[in-house]
Amino acid sequence: MRKRTMVSVLFLFSLLFLLPDQGRKIHANADDSSNEATDPPKVEEKLGGHGGLSTDSDVVHRESESISKKSLRSGAEKFEFQAEVSRLMDIIINSLYSNKDIFLRELISNASDALDKIRFLALTDKDVLGEGDTAKLEIQIKLDKAKKILSIRDRGIGMSKEDLIKNLGTIAKSGTSAFVEKMQSSGDLNLIGQFGVGFYSAYLVADYIEVISKHNDDIQHVWESKADGKFAVSEDTWNEPLGRGTEIRLHLRDEAGEYLEESKLKDLVKRYSEFINFPIHLWASKEVENEVSVEEDESAEEETETTSTEEEEVEEEDNEKKQKTKKVKETVHEWELLNDVKAIWLRSPKEVTEEEYTKFYHSLAKDFSEEKPMAWSHFNAEGDVEFKAVLYIPPKASYDQYERYYNSNKANLKLYVRRVFISDEFDELLPKYLSFLKGLVDSDTLPLNVSREMLQQHSSLKTIKKKLIRKALDMIRKFAEEDPDEVHDDDKKDVEKSGENDEKKGQYTKFWKEFGKSIKLGIIEDASNRNRLAKLLRFETTKSDGKLTSLDQYIKRMKKGQKDVFYITGSSKEQLKKSPFLERLIKKGYEVIFFTDPVDEYLMQYLMDYEDKKFQNVSKEGLKVGKDSKVKELKEAFKELTKWWKESLASENVDDVKISNRLADTPCVVVTSKFGWSANMERIMQSQTLSDAKKQAYMRGKRVLEINPRHPIIKELKGRVASDPKDERMKETAQLMYQTALIESGFILNDPKDFAGRIYNSVKSSLKISPDAVAEEEVEAEETETSEESTETKSDDVAGGLNIEAEPVEKKTPTKDEL
């Protein structure tokens, strides 16, 4: 009995032991004698129209056990990875790298390279392409949600058995070895997936990978690995014949389930591989409405008297409506093209139409409006560094264009290498002031197997940046020159006669309103291109009649003998037009530039000259307006008044009182030193949230009171001071005039209460009211009725205070007359 029991137990144990290996035996190599009797399963032909990734249902069933256990086929020839590959895969698998999305970019890029190779060979031998579907150079992506398999297939050159072992098992001289060493020494996990990781990035999302490949010179083989330091290669006798090319099957990890969603894959292809030369198809599902016939119920109809004609019409309608239909939604699968936008930068600019440029911009910028970009530049750079680029000026600035100016690392310029998207975070390609431009750069010469930091310091990137800036500024300059409103007066007749470019009229004005601040910031930040940027400046002046003008146009209109470019800063053009600083300049026919943007104050600290012309702020000292032969005489004549006035303003910290050469109708004005803050700059700095009054005191310019010797008030003051320099009323008047001049000159008073008091005293004097007169005190109204309780309390308090016993108060009822 015991013997029978032992035999039964051993039999069951051996049966359980053999079951897990059954799946592997089915797919063992054909040379394995144990599988000689097993025939390879049949395959459905051309499932889904292409047949690229289809498998027989029986094959799926037989593969399920093997795939679920992620085990290598028992009959395959096994190898070990090269040491560098093992280290690389270990780093990738065990890292916490967040951007796993790049695996698809790398695999599609490899597929594109394989297609490029077979296309190149086909130039000399067309037979290598084969016939039918095999000759279609395309990339196919397919999902199997049930098995968690993501497949990427190409019809490229394919790999032989030797290629599979060499390309996927060793690093050779691909540069990845140095990459691994850099990774292990620096520990920078952000390097993974950025540059040159290639095929091994697939292990970011998969724990088991199959590579099925067919080369024209070899039979079809399967490469498989669990990233455990080993891989296996075997002859493929169970999968569908590829014809030629490679199919990569990724058995996704549990945490990588998002990559089984069609929407996620579409987004990744659009982001990273949109401009691959070859079509990329996704086996996608969609709902369609189909008409299904519905049997019509017969219903009894009441008999009515109708004419013979009406009966015939009813019979015809009944024949037409014998069979009714209804719409039913069904889910169907078909190949969907994901990259329908062509890489127009690879073509000659002469071959690309305006509509194609506009469509490409909308795709690149993800701009779904119907507005066209203002301008674009398409060029190829040759020399030490070769690259192709397309730059666009958007139709509008983004809502937060300048709010995130110094805080955003993301640029609108995308970097591609061989049409594969790399990054849009390289703000080193364009300076921040040009970050409003959109476009892309595609280079075949940039090294990709280095870190992002090393690439930023690479000499090629610096060369690309320099050329991009030049091309961008040339594009904006040409855009301005093509605007008819920007043409000089002498050339307007020719433009009007031609009648062309009406669409471009006023376009640069629109550009300036949207992106003018960027040009100003460029002048501040980019010293090497300051003169080029200055040519793009636009502003309103006292002679521009509300239109924008340029520095070149201003200089052309300058008066003979004028050496400086005059400008004034303030909060609005309307305020500046009434400024006393402009009085004499306008009377003498000089043109003055209005700067009303807060950034203009910083701009003019860097833009010191242009075309050998110096800039002069008319609200600061040093202004020279023509020649005045009586200057010396006036200084001498008013010497006593200016000296007296300066002494009277000792408490106001006034540096000097001088005769003015800029006033015509105003008695006096306050100017600042040439290198100090203007009144507008003081106002801007005081409004800063974190402003420091103590530090601002160092930058505040010295104030100088300039008086108009031709004004009647100044003449009267001169006479009265000469007769009685100690007159207190004159000192009061001098203080009041200085404070009034401060306000008119744009300054903020330190003590508004003091200024208001002087004004009121002046009004008293004009109304002949005594200076000592004050407002009458308010007379409080007497209480007509007193409450009984308060009266009693008061009596008690008085009695208590005198230590006298208070007598009770007799309550008297009021008579009718008293009421």
Side-chain angles (χ1 to χ4, degrees):
M1 186 69 178
R2 289 183 180 178
K3 289 183 180 180
R4 290 183 181 178
T5 304
M6 288 296 293
V7 171
S8 301
V9 170
L10 288 173
F11 174 77
L12 290 173
F13 181 79
S14 61
L15 185 62
L16 291 172
F17 179 79
L18 292 174
L19 279 175
D21 200 43
Q22 186 64 27
R24 291 193 295 272
K25 285 186 178 181
I26 293 176
H27 306 295
N29 193 290
D31 296 334
D32 193 343
S33 59
S34 63
N35 292 319
E36 288 180 356
T38 305
D39 295 328
K42 302 293 183 182
V43 182
E44 287 185 357
E45 294 184 1
K46 299 184 179 179
L47 178 64
H50 287 262
L53 300 176
S54 60
T55 54
D56 186 86
S57 58
D58 293 334
V59 175
V60 174
H61 177 72
R62 296 184 182 188
E63 287 280 328
S64 59
E65 187 179 0
S66 174
I67 290 175
S68 63
K69 294 177 180 291
K70 307 289 191 303
S71 57
L72 302 183
R73 292 173 176 83
S74 59
E77 188 177 354
K78 297 179 177 59
F79 302 88
E80 290 190 0
F81 283 111
Q82 193 181 31
E84 288 81 358
V85 177
S86 296
R87 285 191 293 163
L88 175 61
M89 294 170 68
D90 182 65
I91 293 171
I92 293 175
I93 295 170
N94 296 313
S95 71
L96 298 177
Y97 182 70
S98 59
N99 186 20
K100 296 179 172 62
D101 294 348
I102 52 81
F103 82 93
L104 189 62
R105 177 196 74 183
E106 295 294 333
L107 297 181
I108 291 177
S109 178
N110 290 345
S112 176
D113 291 341
L115 290 167
D116 272 327
K117 291 176 181 178
I118 195 65
R119 183 172 60 178
F120 177 75
L121 294 176
L123 296 176
T124 55
D125 184 6
K126 293 184 179 180
D127 294 336
V128 298
L129 286 180
E131 298 178 352
D133 289 341
T134 307
K136 295 180 180 179
L137 301 182
E138 59 186 355
I139 301 171
Q140 297 175 343
I141 303 174
K142 198 169 185 180
L143 297 171
D144 186 343
K145 293 186 178 181
K147 301 301 180 184
K148 296 183 180 179
I149 299 176
L150 171 62
S151 302
I152 299 98
R153 175 182 173 174
D154 67 80
R155 291 190 171 91
I157 193 170
M159 289 181 282
S160 63
K161 178 180 179 181
E162 183 181 354
D163 293 333
L164 288 170
I165 297 171
K166 180 180 178 182
N167 296 341
L168 304 184
T170 61
I171 288 180
K173 298 180 180 179
S174 65
T176 313
S177 180
F179 169 80
V180 173
E181 293 177 2
K182 177 69 177 178
M183 278 286 302
Q184 290 186 328
S185 61
S186 65
D188 185 4
L189 298 178
N190 288 327
L191 298 179
I192 300 178
Q194 289 292 336
F195 309 106
V197 192
F199 168 77
Y200 304 109
S201 63
Y203 284 102
L204 288 167
V205 297
D207 52 9
Y208 176 64
I209 297 177
E210 295 176 278
V211 180
I212 307 163
S213 192
K214 171 67 172 68
H215 192 278
N216 284 338
D217 299 334
D218 200 353
I219 59 176
Q220 186 165 309
H221 286 86
V222 177
W223 179 100
E224 54 182 334
S225 175
K226 296 198 304 178
D228 57 355
K230 298 178 182 179
F231 67 93
V233 179
S234 57
E235 179 183 345
D236 186 7
T237 57
W238 53 89
N239 287 306
E240 176 189 0
L242 298 180
R244 187 196 63 254
T246 301
E247 179 184 339
I248 300 176
R249 293 178 183 172
L250 307 181
H251 298 259
L252 300 178
R253 301 165 182 244
D254 293 337
E255 62 270 18
E258 59 180 317
Y259 300 106
L260 291 171
E261 299 297 329
E262 293 177 7
S263 58
K264 176 68 172 180
L265 296 180
K266 290 178 182 179
D267 291 341
L268 292 182
V269 173
K270 287 286 184 183
R271 175 173 173 79
Y272 291 106
S273 308
E274 187 175 15
F275 303 112
I276 290 293
N277 270 349
F278 304 97
I280 302 173
H281 293 96
L282 174 67
W283 186 244
S285 61
K286 69 174 184 179
E287 289 187 348
V288 296
E289 290 186 348
N290 293 328
E291 289 189 355
V292 181
S293 62
V294 179
E295 294 183 2
E296 185 179 4
D297 296 334
E298 296 181 356
S299 58
E301 297 182 357
E302 296 180 4
E303 295 183 357
T304 58
E305 295 181 1
T306 60
T307 62
S308 60
T309 307
E310 291 176 342
E311 289 178 355
E312 292 177 359
E313 291 177 356
V314 171
E315 288 179 0
E316 290 177 0
E317 290 178 1
D318 289 340
N319 291 332
E320 292 175 358
K321 297 181 179 180
K322 279 184 178 179
Q323 190 172 7
K324 284 190 176 181
T325 60
K326 68 176 182 179
K327 293 183 177 181
V328 178
K329 290 185 177 180
E330 294 181 358
T331 301
V332 298
H333 288 78
E334 62 181 15
W335 291 108
E336 180 181 342
L337 182 64
L338 302 183
N339 58 334
D340 56 341
V341 180
K342 302 299 180 183
I344 65 172
W345 69 86
L346 300 177
R347 296 157 56 187
S348 171
K350 297 179 181 179
E351 300 175 356
V352 186
T353 64
E354 182 176 333
E355 290 75 16
E356 288 177 317
Y357 277 121
T358 302
K359 180 182 178 182
F360 183 73
Y361 166 76
H362 288 150
S363 174
L364 183 71
K366 301 299 184 286
D367 184 353
F368 303 105
S369 67
E370 296 182 358
E371 291 187 275
K372 297 193 300 184
M374 292 188 189
W376 55 80
S377 177
H378 178 191
F379 59 92
N380 300 335
E382 298 179 352
D384 297 338
V385 179
E386 295 184 359
F387 66 91
K388 300 175 180 65
V390 181
L391 301 177
Y392 288 95
I393 300 176
K396 288 183 180 179
S398 60
Y399 70 96
D400 58 348
Q401 177 71 40
Y402 301 106
E403 292 179 5
R404 58 180 179 87
Y405 184 78
Y406 290 108
N407 298 325
S408 176
N409 293 326
K410 187 174 182 179
N412 289 322
L413 200 63
K414 297 183 178 181
L415 176 63
Y416 285 75
V417 174
R418 293 180 290 277
R419 298 168 304 283
V420 177
F421 175 68
I422 301 301
S423 177
D424 57 0
E425 297 181 356
F426 279 97
D427 52 353
E428 290 79 7
L429 284 174
L430 278 179
K432 282 190 176 293
Y433 69 88
L434 290 176
S435 61
F436 66 90
L437 297 177
K438 297 182 184 292
L440 61 83
V441 178
D442 187 2
S443 174
D444 293 342
T445 58
L446 282 177
L448 297 182
N449 56 345
V450 294
S451 68
R452 183 173 183 270
E453 290 73 17
M454 292 175 65
L455 184 60
Q456 288 173 345
Q457 302 300 324
H458 199 274
S459 58
S460 297
L461 201 64
K462 295 178 180 179
T463 305
I464 291 176
K465 178 180 180 179
K466 187 176 180 180
K467 292 184 178 181
L468 284 175
I469 294 174
R470 293 286 180 88
K471 287 292 185 179
L473 297 183
D474 286 344
M475 173 180 63
I476 300 173
R477 177 182 56 79
K478 291 178 181 178
F479 178 59
E481 292 174 352
E482 292 174 356
D483 188 346
D485 289 345
E486 293 288 318
V487 180
H488 294 292
D489 296 335
D490 297 341
D491 303 327
K492 278 187 177 179
K493 294 181 180 179
D494 299 334
V495 175
E496 290 174 358
K497 288 180 181 179
S498 64
E500 298 176 357
N501 298 328
D502 289 338
E503 294 183 359
K504 297 181 179 179
K505 189 174 183 179
Q507 286 298 303
Y508 193 74
T509 300
K510 179 184 176 183
F511 165 83
W512 185 256
K513 290 179 180 178
E514 296 289 338
F515 306 108
K517 194 186 293 288
S518 295
I519 302 300
K520 295 176 181 179
L521 291 169
I523 294 175
I524 296 172
E525 299 170 1
D526 191 354
S528 59
N529 291 292
R530 189 163 291 157
N531 193 61
R532 291 186 180 87
L533 289 161
K535 287 184 178 293
L536 304 176
L537 272 179
R538 296 296 183 269
F539 38 76
E540 292 186 49
T541 70
T542 53
K543 292 185 178 181
S544 65
D545 297 327
K547 296 182 179 180
L548 296 179
T549 189
S550 65
L551 285 174
D552 290 330
Q553 293 172 339
Y554 178 95
I555 292 175
K556 191 173 182 179
R557 295 194 296 258
M558 283 175 63
K559 290 188 66 174
K560 187 177 181 180
Q562 182 181 345
K563 297 181 179 179
D564 297 335
V565 176
F566 299 132
Y567 72 93
I568 186 171
T569 60
S571 58
S572 69
K573 182 181 68 174
E574 290 70 23
Q575 178 191 6
L576 293 177
K577 281 182 177 179
K578 303 173 184 178
S579 174
F581 297 108
L582 304 181
E583 292 176 354
R584 197 169 180 213
L585 289 167
I586 292 176
K587 280 191 175 183
K588 287 186 171 289
Y590 289 97
E591 186 175 9
V592 183
I593 298 171
F594 295 138
F595 282 133
T596 57
D597 196 336
V599 76
D600 291 333
E601 285 285 355
Y602 302 93
L603 166 70
M604 299 315 295
Q605 294 178 21
Y606 292 88
L607 190 62
M608 307 300 294
D609 57 77
Y610 178 78
E611 300 293 343
D612 298 327
K613 302 292 183 181
K614 300 290 184 181
F615 287 90
Q616 174 62 50
N617 189 336
V618 298
S619 67
K620 292 186 177 184
E621 65 178 359
L623 179 66
K624 296 179 181 180
V625 185
K627 295 182 180 179
D628 193 342
S629 58
K630 297 182 178 181
V631 173
K632 292 184 179 180
E633 297 178 7
L634 289 171
K635 285 183 178 180
E636 188 65 28
F638 286 82
K639 183 178 180 180
E640 184 178 353
L641 175 63
T642 55
K643 182 180 179 181
W644 171 85
W645 210 330
K646 181 180 179 181
E647 292 174 354
S648 301
L649 299 176
S651 60
E652 299 288 346
N653 195 25
V654 176
D655 188 61
D656 201 1
V657 179
K658 296 181 179 180
I659 300 298
S660 178
N661 66 339
R662 72 186 85 207
L663 297 176
D665 303 321
T666 304
C668 57
V669 75
V670 178
V671 301
T672 55
S673 58
K674 190 171 184 179
F675 299 103
W677 283 348
S678 64
N680 185 53
M681 189 64 175
E682 282 191 25
R683 178 180 56 80
I684 292 172
M685 296 306 297
Q686 288 178 6
S687 64
Q688 299 296 317
T689 306
L690 303 177
S691 60
D692 189 341
K694 293 181 180 179
K695 292 182 179 180
Q696 290 178 10
Y698 293 103
M699 292 301 298
R700 186 177 294 121
K702 295 181 179 180
R703 296 174 181 176
V704 176
L705 177 65
E706 290 190 358
I707 59 176
N708 183 2
R710 299 173 182 83
H711 199 278
I713 294 179
I714 303 301
K715 288 182 177 180
E716 182 66 20
L717 273 175
K718 176 179 176 293
R720 295 200 179 192
V721 169
S723 60
D724 187 5
K726 295 183 179 180
D727 188 349
E728 292 297 328
R729 289 181 301 175
M730 290 301 100
K731 290 184 178 180
E732 185 78 10
T733 302
Q735 286 278 0
L736 180 59
M737 289 187 66
Y738 170 71
Q739 291 177 335
T740 304
L742 276 175
I743 296 175
E744 192 174 18
S745 301
F747 292 94
I748 299 175
L749 293 177
N750 294 329
D751 190 355
K753 180 67 176 177
D754 180 64
F755 171 71
R758 297 181 192 279
I759 290 291
Y760 296 144
N761 289 336
S762 177
V763 173
K764 284 181 183 179
S765 178
S766 64
L767 296 176
K768 297 181 180 181
I769 299 174
S770 172
D772 299 328
V774 296
E776 294 181 356
E777 293 185 2
E778 181 182 357
V779 178
E780 296 183 359
E782 296 182 357
E783 295 182 1
T784 56
E785 295 182 0
T786 306
S787 63
E788 296 178 0
E789 292 182 1
S790 61
T791 304
E792 292 177 0
T793 304
K794 187 175 181 180
S795 301
D796 294 341
D797 290 342
V798 172
L802 297 175
N803 199 17
I804 299 176
E805 185 176 354
E807 297 181 358
V809 179
E810 182 181 356
K811 294 183 179 180
K812 183 180 179 182
T813 304
T815 63
K816 183 177 180 181
D817 295 336
E818 290 175 341
L819 291 173

